[in-house]
Amino acid sequence: MMEIMKNNRSANFAKRYSTTRRQSDLDSLLNQMPPAFESFFIEEPKLLFAGNFTGVDPKVGIEQYGPFSKSKPIIRIGIIGSGDGINTFRAYLDNARRPIRPGLNARGKHYDPLVIPDFPGVDEVTAFRTNFVTDTSLQRSIPEKRFEIAVKSDNVTAKLRNVIELVIKELEVLADSEPEPDVVVVIMPPIVERECAGVGTAFRNTKLILTPPQRFERKLLKRRHKTGQEFFPFDFSDASVDGEQGYWNFHHALKAHAMKFDLPTQLVWEGRLGQGRTQDPASVAWNLFTALYYKAGNIPWQLQHISPNTCYVGISFYKESPLGGAGMQTSLAQVFSGAGEGLVLKGGRAIVDKKRDLQPHLDDQGAERLLQQAIALYEQHNHNKPSRVVVHKTSRYWPEELSGFKRALEDIYLYDFLTLEKLDARFMRIAKEPPIRGTVIALAHRHYAVYTVGYIPYFRAYPGMRIPIPLEIVEHHGDSPAEQICRELIALTKVNWNSCAFASSEPITIQFARTVGRILTEMPMGVPPQTKYKFYM
């Protein structure tokens, strides 16, 4: 049983109250107890590693057993950067063959080795059980002077575009090499980080200035709104003056423009290599090599138990640009089977009806078409049709959306449609530590608070700095029991292969769908979006 805690002064107040009021009034006051809620607990989901050995911590599992999918003996790393940047990353690869320790925390003390373990080093018998190698044929050097010239412009859009064009030219060369690299590290010098890394908020309140052709094309978009046609309104590659679209964020623009070469990339800032702003050196190494291993076409770990033959769909929305007056949002879906990597699907136009709410939604036909495409994509990659579909969304379901989704299911009778939000309330546990990760609190019928973050018994600690905020299941349409949908929710926080973290605060469905949307905002004309998530991370 969980209770909301109230101020202890109420007891003292009751004593004073009894001296001036009738006993019956006091009894009435004391009967107004804090509301009580039923709760249950979800055990920490287990992960599968090499040999089908299990564990709950990705770092421990990879070190002890090795990753789930066996990689080829070497992973070929391409490198693009300045001469100094390439040398720095090559030296880092060599150093990473030996253990990397976390060092001391901000208070000058050693980290808890269970929460922040050493990175054991990486080679054919340690950690990922493969060698990450590079050679001169996989390295493309860009003179430092060219970076300095590229960021000289006062126009932040031009800065981003100039640097990305330098990188894309070299990426094209690597894509034509034989054999091509498995993954490309783009290591950017300090001057690019200083001038470009923080770009992304400068345009938020900028008024979008459209040329007459662009205004005409915007009118055409509005007319075609209900058709669900997939195209972007402007060619980002020609942006050259303030207010034009494209190049809003360095990471997102790089991913979008690199997509046509079918080579996954890893962005690294030279000045932070080996020591992140908020991470210790060991955690930086764990996260970097996990991402490189995954982007090279391997699976670091899998969930041991997930509902079989279930298609998990994350639906999010994104704007055509981050500008205040940007056009209508577009929906996208992230499809997961629970056993394989995510697949990206771009949907049709979304609707924002300010009279009903301020959130984007799909109309009847748009919802039907999107879920039909998601099911077809699942069937294409898994060679069978799902027997159950689970949809995670961050906005409420309009009746039209529910009607369209249900029609798309056809002969699939099992489904669960969930709306997930952050809960604007806090629960306290009668203990020194916050609620345990995996705690589920029933707020009302089909309405739950799910602690995806919190005290972790495995660590004997809460590895956070603030009061944990639970996810809220605001809506649930479907027949699966609460324990099942909450167990799946917790499990899907443990398959973010962009890092080696114990878990994320959100399920992979919502987290990756949102990230993908930010990159699709930057997509240039004529470049079809990749369907695999490794090109977006």
Side-chain angles (χ1 to χ4, degrees):
M1 186 77 75
M2 296 291 294
E3 295 184 350
I4 295 180
M5 303 302 293
K6 288 191 174 181
N7 198 305
N8 289 332
R9 290 180 297 175
S10 60
N12 296 328
F13 172 75
K15 292 178 181 178
R16 296 195 304 271
Y17 190 87
S18 65
T19 63
T20 59
R21 300 284 181 176
R22 293 180 304 169
Q23 186 64 38
S24 61
D25 290 342
L26 176 61
D27 293 340
S28 176
L29 177 65
L30 294 178
N31 284 333
Q32 296 176 10
M33 299 295 292
F37 303 88
E38 295 294 331
S39 65
F40 57 90
F41 177 67
I42 303 294
E43 293 284 349
E44 188 65 43
K46 289 187 177 180
L47 306 174
L48 286 174
F49 301 95
N52 285 329
F53 286 101
T54 63
V56 297
D57 189 345
K59 297 183 181 70
V60 174
I62 287 175
E63 181 177 4
Q64 291 185 349
Y65 311 120
F68 178 79
S69 66
K70 185 174 177 59
S71 173
K72 50 191 173 183
I74 62 171
I75 291 177
R76 293 165 50 83
I77 306 292
I79 311 176
I80 297 174
S82 67
D84 286 344
I86 291 174
N87 290 335
T88 298
F89 193 78
R90 290 182 61 178
Y92 185 79
L93 285 180
D94 289 337
N95 291 335
R97 295 177 63 85
R98 299 179 293 275
I100 298 175
R101 292 180 169 79
L104 302 178
N105 61 24
R107 293 174 293 178
K109 297 183 178 181
H110 291 283
Y111 289 95
D112 183 339
L114 195 58
V115 180
I116 309 291
D118 293 353
F119 180 71
V122 60
D123 55 33
E124 64 276 3
V125 295
T126 308
F128 293 93
R129 275 62 167 179
T130 187
N131 283 298
F132 293 80
V133 302
T134 186
D135 58 57
T136 54
S137 67
L138 301 175
Q139 298 159 12
R140 301 297 301 176
S141 177
I142 301 173
E144 188 92 28
K145 188 67 177 178
R146 297 186 67 185
F147 284 121
E148 294 174 0
I149 295 172
V151 299
K152 269 189 175 181
S153 174
D154 293 331
N155 185 324
V156 290
T157 293
K159 289 181 183 181
L160 296 185
R161 184 187 64 246
N162 294 341
V163 175
I164 288 169
E165 285 179 351
L166 290 177
V167 173
I168 292 302
K169 288 178 181 177
E170 304 305 329
L171 189 63
E172 184 174 12
V173 175
L174 289 179
D176 289 336
S177 61
E178 290 291 343
E180 65 182 22
D182 297 304
V183 58
V184 177
V185 170
V186 178
I187 181 163
M188 291 290 93
I191 189 171
V192 175
E193 179 181 4
R194 185 169 59 250
E195 297 292 333
C196 299
V199 174
T201 58
F203 297 101
R204 194 166 290 168
N205 298 316
T206 304
K207 184 178 179 181
L208 180 62
I209 303 173
L210 301 179
T211 63
Q214 289 172 341
R215 284 197 296 270
F216 176 73
E217 194 163 9
R218 175 65 60 85
K219 290 181 180 179
L220 289 180
L221 283 175
K222 291 181 179 179
R223 291 178 186 175
R224 298 177 185 179
H225 163 63
K226 293 186 178 181
T227 67
Q229 276 186 266
E230 297 183 13
F231 63 98
F232 287 86
F234 311 121
D235 185 350
F236 293 168
S237 62
D238 293 330
S240 59
V241 299
D242 281 334
E244 286 190 315
Q245 292 210 25
Y247 301 99
W248 309 112
N249 174 278
F250 186 83
H251 171 272
H252 303 340
L254 174 63
K255 296 293 179 178
H257 287 262
M259 213 165 282
K260 62 183 176 181
F261 299 115
D262 203 30
L263 276 179
T265 58
Q266 175 69 41
L267 175 61
V268 174
W269 299 110
E270 181 183 339
R272 302 187 214 171
L273 187 59
Q275 178 65 63
R277 288 181 176 176
T278 59
Q279 290 182 334
D280 61 277
S283 295
V284 169
W286 274 115
N287 293 337
L288 175 61
F289 284 100
T290 298
L292 292 176
Y293 188 83
Y294 169 60
K295 292 178 182 181
N298 308 294
I299 302 297
W301 61 85
Q302 280 192 354
L303 292 169
Q304 182 188 30
H305 296 298
I306 199 72
S307 298
N309 208 25
T310 297
C311 174
Y312 298 93
V313 180
I315 295 179
S316 184
F317 302 89
Y318 69 94
K319 292 186 177 181
E320 293 167 348
S321 85
L323 302 179
M328 301 191 69
Q329 290 119 326
T330 301
S331 64
L332 65 95
Q334 183 83 20
V335 182
F336 284 87
S337 65
E341 70 171 340
L343 303 169
V344 176
L345 176 68
K346 180 174 177 285
R349 298 279 158 182
I351 298 172
V352 178
D353 187 342
K354 295 182 180 180
K355 294 181 180 180
R356 299 175 70 172
D357 59 29
L358 297 177
Q359 295 180 313
H361 293 273
L362 296 166
D363 61 19
D364 184 276
Q365 294 181 352
E368 180 182 9
R369 184 165 48 246
L370 179 62
L371 195 54
Q372 282 177 337
Q373 293 172 333
I375 293 170
L377 189 61
Y378 176 97
E379 187 173 3
Q380 175 186 343
H381 284 264
N382 292 277
H383 309 296
N384 64 287
K385 195 171 183 178
S387 58
R388 176 169 169 256
V389 174
V390 177
V391 175
H392 291 163
K393 197 159 75 79
T394 55
S395 60
R396 302 284 186 130
Y397 290 88
W398 279 358
E400 302 93 302
E401 287 178 301
L402 287 174
S403 175
F405 286 147
K406 290 177 180 179
R407 281 203 312 275
L409 296 174
E410 295 181 341
D411 58 346
I412 300 174
Y413 300 106
L414 299 177
Y415 66 89
D416 291 285
F417 303 152
L418 307 179
T419 294
L420 305 175
E421 297 179 355
K422 293 286 187 179
L423 180 64
D424 190 19
R426 305 292 185 272
F427 285 83
M428 307 299 291
R429 189 160 63 102
I430 304 177
K432 293 182 179 180
E433 300 291 347
I436 301 174
R437 167 177 153 84
T439 298
V440 181
I441 303 166
L443 304 176
H445 181 61
R446 291 175 173 260
H447 189 180
Y448 300 93
V450 183
Y451 273 90
T452 57
V453 293
Y455 178 84
I456 298 175
Y458 176 80
F459 288 151
R460 307 184 306 274
Y462 166 52
M465 300 180 64
R466 298 177 179 86
I467 297 175
I469 301 174
L471 282 181
E472 181 181 11
I473 299 178
V474 181
E475 286 188 44
H476 174 209
H477 304 273
D479 297 323
S480 297
E483 185 175 353
Q484 179 179 352
I485 63 172
C486 293
R487 183 183 295 110
E488 291 173 333
L489 202 62
I490 295 288
L492 290 171
T493 66
K494 295 185 73 75
V495 282
N496 178 2
W497 296 308
N498 195 30
S499 77
C500 205
F502 185 84
S504 303
S505 61
E506 295 180 309
I508 198 75
T509 44
I510 294 298
Q511 185 181 8
F512 281 2
R514 185 183 296 117
T515 301
V516 168
R518 293 167 181 161
I519 293 173
L520 290 180
T521 299
E522 303 271 4
M523 286 294 294
M525 286 285 288
V527 177
Q530 291 278 356
T531 61
K532 293 185 177 180
Y533 182 72
K534 66 181 181 180
F535 294 99
Y536 295 82
M537 57 189 277

